[in-house]
Amino acid sequence: KGEGVQGIIRVSLQAIASPTISAMVKSKSYLLLGEGDFTYSLDMCRYLASSSSSSSTAAENETPDDDVSITCTGVDTLRELRAKYRDIDFVLRNIRLCSKD
């Protein structure tokens, strides 16, 4: 009753920019709405983390010096997520770990 959106996970993937090109660093934000088990969010975090750390696999128009922010949202409480999805703790932990790479 009246609970609404229960939580937002924010992941920020930041590459270290050299001082000579820091003015060229771009910023991108992604908003993922209504995630169920957050596996799409995890896949996106992993993809963006790998593309930001390797210029050979960088996504089109992204450089290794991009600042990427991802906001993942869902409507379930953590208790509801745990009841529905047995791997939710693993998924959420790995989403958070993506920001530390």
Side-chain angles (χ1 to χ4, degrees), residues 5-24:
V5 176
Q6 295 301 315
I8 296 175
I9 299 170
R10 287 193 176 92
V11 177
S12 180
L13 307 172
Q14 297 177 339
I16 299 172
S18 76
T20 58
I21 60 170
S22 63
M24 297 171 54

Side-chain angles (χ1 to χ4, degrees), residues 36-77:
D37 64 358
F38 291 92
T39 54
Y40 181 80
S41 297
L42 177 57
D43 286 341
M44 187 159 185
C45 289
R46 286 177 172 165
Y47 171 76
L48 292 170
S50 69
S51 67
S52 69
S53 65
S54 168
S55 61
S56 63
T57 60
E60 189 176 319
N61 297 325
E62 283 189 22
T63 67
D65 300 310
D66 284 343
D67 178 19
V68 180
S69 174
I70 303 171
T71 301
C72 318
T73 67
V75 295
D76 294 319
T77 64

